[in-house]
Amino acid sequence: MARASQLQVSGNGARSRAAAWLEATEQGYLQYPFGLIRAVVRLPKWVWLVVVALVVGSVVSFGAAADVPKGLSVGPTVSRAVDNGVDWMVVKWDPVFRAINTNLLRHFLLPLENWLLGLPWWLVAGVVTFVSYRMAGLAFSLLSAAMMMALAAFGLFDLAMTTLAIVLVSTALAVILGVPTGIAMAKNTRIDGVIRPALDLMQTMPSFVYLIPVMMLFGLGKVPAIIAVVVYAVAPIVRLTSLGIRQVDGSVIEAARAFGATSTQVLIKVQLPLAMPTIMAGLNQTIMMALAMVVVASMIGAKGLGVEVLNGIARLEVGRGLLGGIGIVIMAVILDRITQGLARSQLSKRAT
Amino acid sequence: MARTIAKLSAQKLWKVFGPRPQSVLRSDWRDKSRAEVQEATGHVIALRDVSFDVAQGEVFVVMGLSGSGKSTLVRCLLRLIEPSEGQVVVDGQDITKYSRRKLMNFRRKKAGMVFQRFALMPHRTVMDNVAWGLEIQGQSRRTRLERTHEMLRVVGLEGWAQNYPHELSGGMQQRVGLARALAADPEMLLMDEPFSALDPMIRREMQDELIRLQERMKKTIVFITHDLDEALKLGDRIAIMRDGAIIQVGTPEDIVSAPFDEYVGEFTKDVRKVEVLPVRFIMKPPKTRVYDWQGPRVALREMRQEEEDVAFVVDKEERFLGILAREAAARAAEGGDATSVAQLLETAPIAFSADDSLQWMLARVMDYNWRLETIPVVDAEGKLVGEVHRTVIRDLAKDALEVRVGVQARRSTTV
């Protein structure tokens, strides 16, 4: 080692540097097994502590002391408290939930669903094909035309429209709730600190866990399904809105402020437009997650393609389930590509 | 020097970055060096007791290396960074006391800023970028359109209004930045290293352009740079900053000819004086000056006394009219047919302006056949203010060559 470094210092020019490198690697090869052993021996002390503890734990027999003491368990107490809480809300807040339920249904979901169902199927297929062409190019528009035909041929068209209505309403709700939340998170670290773990919770909590309480509060039907879908799908749009706004070049914001812009002007005219590609990526993910959840939500009354899948499973009609599944995939592929195109068109305006 | 009331003035500005700036400012740490304070308290003193006045229409250059606090300083002037202590006074009003609303108004109407990395908005067209200041003031679309086109014409970017910033070269982007700063017709321009990100040729071009614009606009400009050549070229006065404090303020000539300390001297030692200093710096008062109403005899006596072959002729307002050769004066004095110098004078084959750079002067004497031993120097109004003798020019040319050779020699040893 000493000789190698000496060479490096004294020599000038590529030739002697190469010689020094050769020397060093030669020694490195020789040292290889010893080097590995040394690396293992040099592990931090706490790693050794963990290893020793685990070895002792598996060798020595602790008898009854190995089990968690019975008296320690507070699980039943907590779950009983939650049960009581939900029961209380079901009774006391019923009018509120009922109002949400009927208003959402009467003013948003049903009109949209009826309108979609009322449209001629070929018009819908044509519009989807055309939009695909504009957003994702000719090749994909041909594919989406074929996929729309398949939906029609499988007799899934009306079911797909019902599903679409639920997905659209839930996505709209997710955007209405998620974008402002994302903005608030980007602007305030304290809000960020509260919302971020909440989003983690919403995404990792198994969805069945909140399907039941939602159903208890809103009853069976489409609205509780939408609520469940929103809870599940809102996270990406919140996260990506926040990310997009925080990513905006600070020097551009500074310039905007230097000319006397208020923070609202900066938000609306600079931050949101520049964050739009990222927000669109969030919208894309939100729609995808909404589609995934709509199948699960069919268990509490969301009609549409999910019901086909559910019935297929329940009645062991594998073919029927498969067709429903394919219908979901077709919708996912088309919605994904169109919203991706949307995000891209936001970007292309200002390359680099 | 008699100076008019300052347009913009910084008074004892301090800025301390860190969790508790006031705890540093209200203790002994205030007088300790930046490094000591940072080591012991984790606070960085970015500005230390900075005071200066900028006159109406003046270009005030703040020069310093990176980390000297110059960017922080210019931001404090707009309160993009809040100063920890001290005042910024513009037109007699302390803007550090301004309410939010007044501050917004101040930024909108009084000051325009140009940024180092252009800081254009990538999602807006050139036109919408330039119109930014007007748009947030709520000006009508028509006003914005007119004003934007006018500004684009001023910076030479007509026809680019509908393009996006990324479609423009760096130099053009900074022209947009300049147009944006000028759009609301502010009285002050704050320029934070506006040309540093451009390559040298474009940079020089932009500097010339700024000088040209400034002759017309007469804005009050605070210009930040780390480039001494740029500072000397543009600045009416230059402030040199180190570790957050201003260590010398003066005209370019002051800085080059009398650097305050070794730190400043270190900057200026490589500067070739010919590029920086104007003719004014080397000229002597004119020795043989005669008025056009005087007679040839007076002129002749004057020339004999000073042992000169030529006298400079001026009118009663000291305006330079031409030269009078000794033989011509002698002939007229003998013959007695001319009554005044005015009838004998001829135009000068060469004359300098006091504000020309020495470099420009040297370039011009290259082709000169030295009919005149001393060359007259006039000011902007045409008044005779001095003369430069041939030997002075010769020495200067020699110096200039030596410096250049010296620089080259030093470069070749480092390679």
Side-chain angles (χ1 to χ4, degrees), chain A residues 254 256 259-260 265 269 350, chain B residues 75 108 122-123 132 135-136:
Chain A
E254 185 181 47
F259 289 94
Q265 284 174 324
K269 289 171 188 271
R350 54 182 180 103
Chain B
R75 280 164 177 73
R108 288 176 182 185
H123 62 297
W132 171 252
E135 185 181 323
I136 55 179

Side-chain angles (χ1 to χ4, degrees), chain A residues 249 251-252 254-263 265-266 269-271 273-274 348-352, chain B residues 75 78-80 104 107-108 111-113 115 119-124 132-133 135-136 164 166 180-181:
Chain A
D249 185 357
S251 68
V252 172
E254 185 181 47
R257 287 178 53 217
F259 289 94
T262 60
S263 47
Q265 284 174 324
V266 172
K269 289 171 188 271
V270 182
Q271 289 174 308
L274 285 175
S348 66
K349 251 200 256 172
R350 54 182 180 103
T352 60
Chain B
R75 280 164 177 73
L78 270 189
R79 283 175 63 191
L80 288 172
M104 292 293 163
R107 288 176 181 166
R108 288 176 182 185
M113 188 156 172
F115 296 85
L120 300 178
M121 293 158 199
H123 62 297
R124 303 179 130 234
W132 171 252
E135 185 181 323
I136 55 179
Y164 283 92
H166 69 91
R180 174 174 66 177

Side-chain angles (χ1 to χ4, degrees), chain B residues 19 33 41 135 275 283 337 340 375:
Chain B
S33 82
T41 69
E135 185 181 323
E275 285 178 6
M283 71 186 186
D337 49 338
S340 78
I375 296 171

Side-chain angles (χ1 to χ4, degrees), chain B residues 286-303 310-324 329 338-345 382-385:
Chain B
K287 276 199 283 193
T288 55
R289 168 172 39 187
V290 295
Y291 291 94
D292 59 348
W293 73 83
Q294 290 175 318
R297 272 168 227 282
V298 181
L300 198 58
R301 198 177 58 224
E302 190 98 345
M303 282 185 268
V310 172
F312 300 143
V313 183
V314 296
D315 66 10
K316 63 175 189 296
E317 270 136 21
E318 303 278 321
R319 268 198 299 268
F320 180 64
L321 296 174
I323 56 167
L324 173 63
T339 54
S340 78
V341 166
Q343 287 160 291
L344 299 167
L345 70 92
K383 290 182 181 161
L384 180 71
V385 290

